[in-house]
Amino acid sequence: MTDILPFLKSLLSTPGLSGYEDSAADLIAARWAPLVHKISRGKLGSLHGLRHGSGKGPHPSVMIATHMDAIGLMVTGIVDGFLRITQVGGVDPRVLPGTLVTVYATRAGQRSIPGVVVLPPGRLLPPDIGINPVPLEYLFVDSGLPPQRVADQVNIGDIVSYAQSPLELSGETLAGHSLDNRASVAALTVCLEELHSRSHLWDVWAVATAQEEIGLSGAIGSTFELHPSLAIAVDVTFAKGPGASDWRTSPLGKGPTLCMGPNIHPALFKAVQSLADKLEIPYGLEYAPRHTGTDGFAIQVIAEGIPTLVMGIPLRYMHTPVEVVAMKDIQRAGRLLAEFVAGLQPDFMEKITWDN
Amino acid sequence: MKELIEKLTETFSPSGYEAAIRAVIHKEIKPLADEIHVDAMGNLIARKGSKTKTGLRLMLAGHMDEIGLMATHIDEHGFIRFTGLGGIRPQALTGGRVRFMDGTPGVINSDRLTDLSKVPTLDQCFIDVGASSRKECPVMLGDVCAFERPFNDLGNRMIAKSMDDRIGCAVMIEALRVLRGSPHEIFFVFTTQEEVGTRGAATSAFGVDPDLGLSIDVTGTGDTPRGSKMEVGLGKGPAVKVKDGGMLADPRIINWMIRTADKAKIPCQREILEGGTTDARSIQVARSGVPVGCLSIPTRYIHSPSEMVDTEDVLNAVKLLVALLSAPVAL
Amino acid sequence: MPTIGNAQIKLLEKLCNASAVSGDEGQVRRIVLEELDGHAQDIRVDALGNVLAHCRGSGVKRLRVMLSAHMDEVGMMLVEDEGDGLFRFEIVGNIDVRQLPGKAVLVGKENLPGVIGARPIHLTTTEELKHNIPLEDLRIDIGPGGGKVKPGDRAVFATRFQRNGPVLIAKALDDRFGIATLLELVKNSLPNIDLLAAFTVQEEIGLRGAKVAAFTFEPDLGIAVDATPSYDLPDWEAEENISYNTKLGLGPAIYIGDSATLYDPRLVRWMADTSKASGIPCQFRQPGSGGTDAGAIHRSRAGIPSLTISVPHRYSHTAASVARLDDWKNTFALLHAALTRLTPTVLAAERA
């Protein structure tokens, strides 16, 4: 089994914010190129990699979607050299003070400027804010540079990403920003590597979607364009940890999760679950009474509707710069995906019935 | 162009009930477009030109609808309770004037409040059309009305209700009038029901199936006393949207718009809007996805009955739109 | 003329990247002892862990000048092992609890990486978002494999030193700036004074190292070399910011008074006059809150005329402080120039 850690760490070191995914897409395309027969980009920037099924076509297709975009910040104004910011995707302002960031400035050529998110002292803020959490609009990014330099180099609209480098923690876990959802991209890559040395009858679309954090846009466009027969969305899910222990959380390091609920086709769920049991791949169960909060929610209702499965990779501290994931869970998810795809028979769609 | 803006803003057409404004716009563009049709949602779709080798199918969207109110109950004394169509600011209601689609005028006021420092909610307001009883009242459950204010020309600035987005429609009409040739097949779509969720744009985009979309809509400003910290202000030119509350513009389109403006020496500003979105969002997720951007007209006091724009900004928006449409799209 | 150059910046980087939470200053102490070797007489480590060094001058009637910089930084201590790699921790020194969530840390003697996570925003109610995450809810997570860390071990922010042109971004600029400056002064010590260098411990938890060091040295005057906050950010209402403390880019900050010390005006004048004469810029720190080792030094024995001079820096006591290289260069230059022209006449008149 290839070590997916170096690839994952390289992904975590590139911004690839929602709407600005090119740097991530290029890295993923390079890694997938030897593993797929065709690579293309969707209209909104999603990366599509196609593996043909063996034998004469046409083949039914399964789409595995993992979003490659990351949350971050964007410059909305420049005041005396300090940058006002807004969020790209869901950011909890309470984790921002003191966070190291990189400003991808574009006004005087492309420059990466190191900076830090700043919590102004209470006396410089409206009186009712005081020692309470400070909303995002009152925070700044400070690069320390003299104001004229900042005005010359930074544009409104420039993106700002977390600068936390990936850290290997004990127990084969990895900490870093944008493991949501680069961990799943890594799992999909593990799946492609495994499929590369096996035969499979179905076509496989490996899709690194764009703009998931901003309304699932990439998944909507790509699913409509590729029109698969089946879809699996892989995204990170909540791992048990400090402040997170209720029914919505799953243990870290005990395998990926299989989600059940209205967003998931029950027969598809059963098929993947039986396979995991048979192969003794550990997994957890996740319950989504309504939407799953993933690309899967959009994919299921494209065109005529698509039987969808949602697989989760447990992750601590989601949407902070120090998300934590277990490498084993990534490997297991990749393997389970590959085994499922390799085992798909031409008549599987007829087996997707509603009532047994 | 000011007569056009006056005509458009003084028409009453809240979301879902756009017939009146559609007729006004249709009259303006009939001699200018190659083909016009109206779809099932009431969108007015006008095609100009055909796709050449260097051209694309472009869709421009400016929404014809405005925010308004819909009657939910007529009480026995003829007072009308209502709900909102689109984002209604409670602060802007009390004492306002409205006009129903049949021409009936009315005034908005509220239940007596014990705490005068509070703003009444929509539930606490009603419309009085001067009727004495339910029987006498010309308004029925489901009838709609829009706010009434006259257009004011201040010279360098203009004030009217429904600048959002009649000013966008005016910019599109004027661009269509002035455009001298284009390599593109351009669909000028005057959309419906934007204020209740960019619905007209979704269906018209599916139908038009464009290669690229631009919405032409208003955006806020940060240049009023103790206002928001937004960088956009009146008089600094039309705005090129980077991000709003619902979507991210395609970075290639942002750069194309700014480069075009710089080359044609048209002032423009970069815009990030914290709350709110435009038709561009719905266009973006039509079919296989559409790269989109938005050309914004900076506007003060959006969703109040008196919205203000800068005259030069409007003229420059027309210039910029024409410049964008006249040449191949360089992404 | 000695100056701050690349070698000194490299040393500052080494110092900032080392871990030395109050009471556990070993890593920085080791670096200080290495650097002092061969440059001072009488190098010793006292009962609290202070490093004391004596650079004897050669002139007659030399003033005994104590210079003090603190080796410790604010940080954390692990207090309970909850299993699965999760540890409860407490803060050592003053850190705003809002600065903790979402940060990477280094734990223990081996600098093991860990993270202070936060409950995902998706699992947090709107009501909860209105409140800071309390310290009791935060944990240091070193990963489920466990490791060689245990309660009692200290943790620091994992920020690594970086330079971007004129800007320095690092943790613990307070007070590694002072340490690096003091080391450079020892290496370029002057014949007209006895330089008594105190690399102190536990400043952040009550000026404790300086108290005993001053008693030991019995100097004629004391100067604390520290790093002081700059709050030179825009005011939300866009009016003038009138409580900035100090500003980046205006040079070393001379203290007139803080909450621990009313500084000797003779020494304040001496430093300000040096600035004027030499053309090295300086600023006056706004009087008011805060304190330095001088707070303990000036009250030692029968009292010691004292001064503090500091490098301005933003975001003190957070994961990442920001400063300008020029401000540090000028702090060293001003101190050195002042010490060069220091004679006993500075203290000849009565304190006034």
Side-chain angles (χ1 to χ4, degrees):
Chain A
M1 221 188 307
T2 354
D3 183 11
I4 202 71
L5 184 59
F7 171 59
L8 180 53
K9 281 166 99 167
S10 76
L11 267 185
L12 300 187
S13 310
T14 192
L17 264 63
S18 307
Y20 295 79
E21 294 93 350
D22 280 353
S23 59
D26 289 344
L27 271 174
I28 301 169
R31 182 57 189 252
W32 287 2
L35 305 173
V36 300
H37 301 110
K38 191 171 94 146
I39 291 230
S40 59
R41 298 286 293 273
K43 302 269 182 61
L44 299 180
S46 300
L47 183 70
H48 303 161
L50 172 64
R51 278 192 63 84
H52 289 300
S54 52
K56 214 161 65 119
H59 308 109
S61 65
V62 54
M63 178 179 85
I64 307 175
T66 62
H67 74 87
M68 60 175 164
D69 59 313
I71 59 167
L73 305 166
M74 179 184 272
V75 177
T76 59
I78 304 170
V79 185
D80 293 342
F82 295 88
L83 306 177
R84 289 200 199 282
I85 45 177
T86 188
Q87 62 180 10
V88 176
V91 174
D92 182 350
R94 297 178 308 162
V95 309
L96 286 180
T99 299
L100 287 157
V101 295
T102 306
V103 180
Y104 290 89
T106 62
R107 193 175 181 83
Q110 315 270 33
R111 275 162 207 274
S112 303
I113 304 177
V116 61
V117 181
V118 167
L119 177 60
R123 59 182 175 278
L124 297 179
L125 295 172
D128 50 338
I129 292 187
I131 55 164
N132 292 332
V134 175
L136 186 53
E137 59 175 320
Y138 300 99
L139 302 177
F140 291 106
V141 166
D142 184 10
S143 64
L145 291 169
Q148 190 51 56
R149 275 236 226 169
V150 178
D152 290 341
Q153 295 180 5
V154 181
N155 263 328
I156 291 170
D158 282 347
I159 57 169
V160 179
S161 76
Y162 294 133
Q164 176 61 55
S165 330
L167 294 171
E168 292 180 54
L169 303 183
S170 74
E172 288 176 59
T173 56
L174 185 68
H177 68 90
S178 64
L179 276 164
D180 173 6
N181 191 29
R182 313 280 170 77
S184 303
V185 176
L188 179 47
T189 309
V190 168
C191 166
L192 287 175
E193 303 233 340
E194 205 149 315
L195 286 178
H196 196 53
S197 50
R198 304 171 68 148
S199 70
H200 51 90
L201 298 173
W202 278 48
D203 283 350
V204 184
W205 283 103
V207 177
T209 57
Q211 297 190 40
E212 185 274 347
E213 301 284 6
I214 311 282
L216 320 176
S217 314
I220 296 172
S222 293
T223 308
F224 191 95
E225 183 180 334
L226 305 179
H227 212 186
S229 313
L230 284 181
I232 303 175
V234 187
D235 206 331
V236 293
T237 187
F238 309 112
K240 290 199 187 299
S245 59
D246 66 19
W247 60 271
R248 294 171 290 185
T249 62
S250 307
L252 186 71
K254 302 278 196 292
T257 63
L258 297 176
C259 200
M260 67 167 81
N263 195 177
I264 289 93
H265 196 295
L268 186 50
F269 168 86
K270 267 214 192 70
V272 178
Q273 184 184 33
S274 326
L275 182 63
D277 287 337
K278 191 173 111 190
L279 298 172
E280 293 185 332
I281 299 175
Y283 63 92
L285 290 176
E286 211 188 318
Y287 309 97
R290 294 169 294 278
H291 59 81
T292 51
T294 68
D295 277 339
F297 191 61
I299 293 171
Q300 188 187 31
V301 293
I302 295 295
E304 304 90 350
I306 302 178
T308 305
L309 178 76
V310 175
M311 185 182 290
I313 298 182
L315 178 97
R316 283 186 180 157
Y317 321 127
M318 200 180 291
H319 280 202
T320 72
V322 290
E323 298 172 327
V324 177
V325 76
M327 293 310 297
K328 271 210 209 58
D329 290 344
I330 295 177
Q331 297 282 7
R332 286 163 174 153
R335 182 165 167 239
L336 183 53
L337 288 168
E339 292 286 350
F340 177 69
V341 167
L344 278 171
Q345 297 304 310
D347 65 347
F348 184 76
M349 289 313 292
E350 287 138 56
K351 297 225 183 75
I352 308 269
T353 54
W354 271 98
D355 305 298
N356 313 6
Chain B
M1 196 178 164
K2 288 191 177 176
E3 290 99 64
L4 174 64
I5 298 171
E6 182 171 2
K7 204 186 321 186
L8 294 175
T9 54
E10 289 189 350
T11 306
F12 300 98
S13 284
S15 305
Y17 298 84
E18 297 91 350
I21 187 67
R22 186 168 50 240
V24 172
I25 297 179
H26 194 143
K27 194 150 174 245
E28 294 290 329
I29 63 174
K30 194 156 189 298
L32 306 169
D34 294 341
E35 202 187 317
I36 301 179
H37 78 279
V38 176
D39 74 4
M41 287 283 281
N43 293 305
L44 180 63
I45 302 169
R47 180 182 61 78
K48 178 80 178 175
S50 331
K51 202 153 112 160
T52 66
K53 214 183 276 187
T54 57
L56 297 174
R57 175 178 296 175
L58 304 181
M59 172 171 162
L60 308 177
H63 68 92
M64 306 189 277
D65 61 313
E66 62 189 290
I67 53 172
L69 308 172
M70 178 183 274
T72 55
H73 178 71
I74 323 297
D75 76 11
E76 49 180 324
H77 299 290
F79 295 100
I80 303 158
R81 296 285 175 181
F82 58 85
T83 184
L85 292 170
I88 302 294
R89 301 259 167 88
Q91 302 93 324
L93 288 178
T94 305
R97 300 276 180 98
V98 294
R99 182 83 63 159
F100 283 87
M101 301 314 289
D102 67 347
T104 301
V107 59
I108 306 172
N109 217 295
S110 73
D111 305 344
R112 189 170 81 93
L113 294 173
T114 42
D115 184 351
L116 287 175
S117 69
K118 295 243 182 312
V119 173
T121 61
L122 264 67
D123 296 333
Q124 293 169 318
C125 294
F126 55 82
I127 299 169
D128 183 353
V129 295
S132 309
S133 68
R134 180 183 293 136
K135 224 158 41 145
E136 203 192 286
C137 184
V139 174
M140 294 196 309
L141 184 113
D143 283 353
V144 301
C145 65
F147 299 101
E148 173 153 31
R149 276 291 206 289
F151 169 87
N152 276 157
D153 179 5
L154 306 180
N156 65 331
R157 306 268 152 98
M158 297 176 275
I159 310 176
K161 62 100 180 147
S162 70
M163 280 297 188
D164 175 11
D165 182 32
R166 305 290 162 73
I167 196 69
C169 296
V171 166
M172 282 167 61
I173 294 168
E174 202 54 25
L176 178 55
R177 202 192 308 280
V178 164
L179 189 63
R180 297 272 162 275
S182 164
H184 307 294
E185 178 188 26
I186 311 167
F187 284 87
F188 290 76
V189 183
F190 301 88
T191 60
T192 58
Q193 299 189 35
E194 188 276 349
E195 297 286 7
V196 293
T198 63
R199 297 176 192 173
T203 55
S204 56
F206 190 95
V208 168
D209 195 6
D211 299 315
L212 187 155
L214 280 184
S215 63
I216 321 291
D217 207 333
V218 300
T219 189
T221 68
D223 60 356
T224 54
R226 294 200 227 239
S228 89
K229 297 292 179 187
M230 201 178 165
E231 290 297 315
V232 172
L234 291 195
K236 299 199 279 181
V240 172
K241 192 189 289 279
V242 175
K243 174 183 187 293
D244 66 25
M247 51 71 90
L248 291 160
D250 190 310
R252 300 166 299 173
I253 294 181
I254 296 168
N255 289 333
W256 163 59
M257 291 171 76
I258 292 178
R259 268 199 316 271
T260 305
D262 288 346
K263 201 158 137 213
K265 301 221 192 332
I266 302 167
C268 74
Q269 348 183 23
R270 287 166 172 267
E271 169 218 335
I272 294 171
L273 182 67
E274 289 286 351
T277 190
T278 70
D279 279 341
R281 169 57 188 172
S282 284
I283 301 172
Q284 187 181 47
V285 291
R287 292 181 181 261
S288 306
V290 180
V292 295
C294 176
L295 177 60
S296 304
I297 295 98
T299 305
R300 289 179 184 167
Y301 325 127
I302 296 177
H303 283 202
S304 79
S306 306
E307 300 170 327
M308 178 189 283
V309 298
D310 179 281
T311 308
E312 280 307 304
D313 288 348
V314 176
L315 297 174
N316 280 323
V318 175
K319 278 205 192 104
L320 180 51
L321 185 54
V322 171
L324 291 168
L325 298 174
S326 305
V329 174
L331 284 190
Chain C
M1 177 79 148
T3 183
I4 299 295
N6 283 331
Q8 289 74 17
I9 297 172
K10 268 248 117 34
L11 177 57
L12 178 67
E13 175 173 11
K14 197 168 164 192
L15 287 165
C16 286
N17 287 346
S19 306
V21 175
S22 308
D24 188 40
E25 296 90 349
Q27 281 185 27
V28 171
R29 186 165 37 243
R30 249 188 313 279
I31 299 172
V32 167
L33 288 168
E34 269 165 32
E35 292 293 318
L36 285 176
D37 189 24
H39 293 282
Q41 301 88 45
D42 293 342
I43 304 171
R44 65 197 185 286
V45 177
D46 73 8
L48 258 68
N50 293 317
V51 176
L52 305 177
H54 192 167
C55 298
R56 235 167 256 118
S58 54
V60 292
K61 287 223 186 131
R62 302 186 303 274
L63 279 176
R64 291 166 60 77
V65 181
M66 172 177 174
L67 275 105
S68 164
H70 68 89
M71 298 190 287
D72 61 314
E73 64 193 281
V74 296
M76 295 145 265
M77 177 193 278
L78 273 53
V79 296
E80 188 183 342
D81 184 345
E82 292 189 336
D84 204 30
L86 297 170
F87 290 84
R88 272 194 77 146
F89 65 96
E90 284 292 319
I91 301 174
V92 180
N94 224 338
I95 304 180
D96 184 335
V97 73
R98 293 174 294 180
Q99 296 284 343
L100 293 173
K103 304 299 182 295
V105 295
L106 296 174
V107 186
K109 298 245 174 306
E110 320 234 330
N111 285 347
L112 212 67
V115 298
I116 303 176
R119 185 202 302 214
I121 189 173
H122 325 65
L123 301 181
T124 309
T125 63
T126 4
E127 189 52 42
E128 277 171 324
L129 286 174
K130 298 196 191 128
H131 303 285
N132 298 322
I133 306 171
L135 183 61
E136 305 86 74
D137 289 357
L138 295 173
R139 296 292 182 272
I140 289 178
D141 181 352
I142 59 157
K148 300 180 245 154
V149 301
K150 55 196 183 307
D153 284 352
R154 312 307 203 280
V156 295
F157 293 115
T159 313
R160 300 293 82 183
F161 179 98
Q162 55 179 321
R163 176 184 174 184
N164 179 29
V167 175
L168 303 175
I169 301 176
K171 66 146 179 91
L173 285 175
D174 173 13
D175 180 30
R176 305 298 155 71
F177 264 143
I179 300 291
T181 305
L182 189 45
L183 283 170
E184 196 57 27
L185 285 171
V186 167
K187 290 174 186 172
N188 291 282
S189 78
L190 301 139
N192 61 315
I193 58 169
D194 274 353
L195 199 164
L196 304 164
F199 300 86
T200 61
V201 298
Q202 300 191 33
E203 186 272 352
E204 297 287 5
I205 54 172
L207 319 176
R208 299 171 68 76
K211 180 167 189 279
V212 304
F215 191 94
T216 302
F217 273 148
E218 276 191 87
D220 295 316
L221 65 102
I223 304 174
V225 189
D226 213 325
T228 188
S230 299
Y231 301 120
D232 53 344
L233 276 65
D235 187 296
W236 178 254
E237 295 297 337
E239 287 154 20
E240 195 187 336
N241 179 353
I242 58 170
S243 45
Y244 48 88
N245 196 48
T246 61
K247 298 184 182 177
L248 290 198
L250 296 187
I254 303 171
Y255 287 44
I256 296 170
D258 58 35
S259 70
T261 315
L262 290 169
Y263 292 92
D264 192 312
R266 298 170 291 180
L267 298 179
V268 174
R269 260 197 307 279
W270 158 60
M271 196 60 70
D273 289 347
T274 306
S275 165
K276 231 200 214 143
S278 64
I280 301 166
C282 77
Q283 54 182 314
F284 288 103
R285 178 186 184 275
Q286 285 188 301
S289 58
T292 70
D293 276 344
I297 296 170
H298 87 283
R299 288 177 232 212
S300 182
R301 292 185 185 255
I304 297 169
S306 298
L307 183 70
T308 300
I309 179 165
S310 292
V311 185
H313 71 304
R314 289 177 185 152
Y315 323 127
S316 200
H317 293 199
T318 73
S321 302
V322 172
R324 300 262 175 82
L325 182 55
D326 279 349
D327 288 334
W328 179 34
K329 286 186 174 177
N330 284 325
T331 303
F332 171 78
L334 183 59
L335 249 178
H336 188 266
L339 291 170
T340 307
R341 58 193 281 277
L342 178 61
T343 70
T345 52
V346 167
L347 297 176
E350 268 180 20
R351 174 183 165 130

